[in-house]
Amino acid sequence: MARDMSDKEILKMELEQLKKEVATPRTPVGANCTDTINFVEGLLPNDPLIKGVSDDKNPYKADKGGCIIT
């Protein structure tokens, strides 16, 4: 698409994009980190990777036996 445009048209598109980016609200990194930490810690009690999955809800735990490497 940019190949078919003149330099003036390309610069105009870039200017419009920069105007959009300038209008984007910004927040400090520290505030975003705090929000992210609070979000993750809020989900922590239900996280199966941290808490584990009970045997009755684990679809992969079956009476199939296991894999033994000898």
Side-chain angles (χ1 to χ4, degrees), residues 12-66:
K12 187 175 180 180
M13 280 181 44
E14 289 178 3
L15 181 62
E16 290 299 319
Q17 180 62 35
L18 289 172
K19 286 180 181 179
K20 290 178 187 176
E21 291 177 14
V22 164
T24 303
R26 308 285 182 190
T27 55
V29 173
N32 287 332
C33 290
T34 303
D35 291 344
T36 303
I37 290 169
N38 291 336
F39 175 76
V40 170
E41 286 178 347
L43 295 176
L44 192 64
N46 299 325
D47 190 338
L49 295 176
I50 302 296
K51 186 175 136 184
V53 179
S54 62
D55 288 341
D56 59 332
K57 292 183 180 180
N58 189 351
Y60 300 104
K61 175 102 173 146
D63 297 325
K64 299 178 188 175

